[in-house]
Amino acid sequence: MQLSSRGRGAAPTLGPTTRKQSSGVRALVACLVASVALFTLSCQTGESGPLGAVRGAFQTVTTPVRLLGSAAAAPFRGLGNIFSNLTADQATLSDLQAEVDELRARNAELEEDVGEADRLRELLELQDTSQLTSTGAHIISGSTDSWSSTVTIDKGSSSGLTAGMPVTASSGVIGQIVSSGATSSTVRLLSDENSSISAMVQSSRAQGMLQGSATGEVTLELVRTSEQVNVGDVIVTSGLGGVFPKGLPVGEVASVESSPGDMYLTIVVDLYADPSRVEEVLVITSLTEEQQGSAEDIAEADRQEREDGASSGDGSDEGASDDGATDDAGATDDAGTSGGDAE
């Protein structure tokens, strides 16, 4: 008996979707196998193998294209950066400005610390080289009136400072303490008209008195015309009088003049230390015997005194008034050279 086709169910068949999925799986598996095989081959052969040659050729071919693409994209990247900067919010800009200000302040602070360290190092070198018994101090203000040239330092009697003590910077002598309070002291500068200290020309050892003036000009007085003094000669403290230690730098000769008939040279001195630019100083609290004027210096001062005395007593070819003026000059020289420092 023949079975009717209607009585049997239709045989199942693979649809188009199933066949596509099966093909995709097979392609994926094939790619994975190929990738593993190529990776293994590349590891075994390295750059010298066929795969390395293929990569090199591909890079050679594509390099011009990549360079062209990079050049074409560069303007757009620049525009993008500009646009990003222009569209930055105000808070971001404020934060950046605050950071810049902080860095600038920190940089200024570090530079100030370095400058102070250098100045203190120079003072320590002076203290060690000259073997000074001294204490450091800071200049805190200048003159309080227009009739004197002084500065104020931040140490006084509570630190053992008294009137008469010399004050020096690393570059040269500043002056001398004239009064001391508990925590501060007033220093009379060398340029003050009431300042007068013993000094000498370092090269010739010619003795004199370093004198200030109302105009601020400093001169080395009572140096006879017979002494050899040249522009540029260094002036140092002589140590006579037992106040300033011998050999501290003061300044250098700016000009030397001598007129016929003069007994003394007119010597203008440029000071090394500029008080308006000095912040740290040393106050010399005591002297040793070695720091005072030597026997040779005292003998030289005595020789100049004797010469001045002889010149004062010589009345030949001079009128009475000229004799009197010469006597006054000799007396001044005697008092100034033998007496040492004014303060």
Side-chain angles (χ1 to χ4, degrees):
M1 179 183 293
Q2 187 176 3
L3 297 176
S4 172
S5 59
R6 293 182 179 180
R8 294 183 301 175
T13 59
L14 295 177
T17 302
T18 303
R19 286 196 297 271
K20 289 181 180 180
Q21 291 177 350
S22 177
S23 299
V25 171
R26 285 196 296 270
L28 178 60
V29 172
C31 289
L32 289 175
V33 172
S35 298
V36 171
L38 292 174
F39 177 75
T40 303
L41 180 62
S42 176
C43 292
Q44 291 177 350
T45 59
E47 294 296 330
S48 61
L51 292 180
V54 172
R55 282 197 299 269
F58 181 78
Q59 291 177 352
T60 301
V61 172
T62 59
T63 295
V65 178
R66 288 188 288 110
L67 292 177
L68 182 60
S70 177
F76 296 99
R77 287 197 300 268
L79 291 175
N81 293 334
I82 294 174
F83 181 76
S84 298
N85 293 333
L86 292 176
T87 56
D89 56 22
Q90 186 61 38
T92 302
L93 295 177
S94 299
D95 292 342
L96 291 175
Q97 185 61 48
E99 184 177 355
V100 170
D101 293 341
E102 182 179 356
L103 291 175
R104 285 176 178 171
R106 180 58 178 165
N107 183 61
E109 182 180 351
L110 292 175
E111 289 183 354
E112 186 66 19
D113 291 342
V114 170
E116 183 177 5
D118 290 341
R119 294 191 299 270
L120 293 176
R121 175 180 53 78
E122 292 173 354
L123 284 177
L124 289 175
E125 290 178 354
L126 174 64
Q127 186 180 45
D128 293 339
T129 302
S130 302
Q131 298 180 345
L132 300 176
T133 303
S134 59
T135 182
H138 288 82
I139 295 178
I140 56 177
S141 67
S143 300
T144 57
D145 57 64
S146 57
W147 298 279
S148 62
S149 297
T150 61
V151 294
T152 302
I153 59 177
D154 62 351
K155 287 188 178 179
S157 57
S158 60
S159 300
L161 305 188
T162 60
M165 289 183 174
V167 180
T168 183
S170 58
S171 55
V173 175
I174 290 289
Q176 199 170 7
I177 292 178
V178 291
S179 63
S180 290
T183 58
S184 64
S185 299
T186 301
V187 179
R188 177 183 291 157
L189 302 178
L190 296 182
S191 58
D192 187 273
E193 61 179 327
N194 294 315
S195 173
S196 182
I197 69 170
S198 298
M200 64 180 177
V201 181
Q202 190 176 48
S203 57
S204 65
R205 319 306 287 179
Q207 305 282 344
M209 296 297 295
L210 195 74
Q211 182 69 48
S213 66
T215 62
E217 184 179 72
V218 179
T219 56
L220 184 64
E221 299 184 351
L222 305 179
V223 177
R224 296 183 61 84
T225 54
S226 59
E227 299 291 344
Q228 184 67 31
V229 182
N230 299 310
V231 173
D233 283 348
V234 176
I235 307 299
V236 297
T237 52
S238 65
L240 298 178
V243 178
F244 281 82
K246 178 182 176 181
L248 288 181
V250 175
E252 64 180 34
V253 176
S255 65
V256 183
E257 296 180 2
S258 176
S259 300
D262 287 347
M263 291 179 56
Y264 304 107
L265 297 172
T266 302
I267 304 172
V268 178
V269 178
D270 281 342
L271 300 178
Y272 285 143
D274 182 359
S276 64
R277 298 179 179 274
V278 173
E279 297 181 39
E280 297 86 11
V281 297
L282 287 178
V283 180
I284 301 168
T285 55
S286 64
L287 302 183
T288 62
E289 291 184 2
E290 292 77 11
Q291 292 171 335
Q292 301 182 28
S294 64
E296 291 78 7
D297 295 328
I298 296 175
E300 176 64 20
D302 291 340
R303 182 187 67 80
Q304 293 185 27
E305 289 180 10
R306 289 193 298 271
E307 291 181 355
D308 291 343
S311 299
S312 299
D314 186 4
S316 60
D317 299 329
E318 297 291 340
S321 60
D322 290 340
D323 289 341
T326 306
D327 289 339
D328 290 341
T332 304
D333 190 18
D334 292 344
T337 309
S338 63
D341 301 310
E343 299 295 340

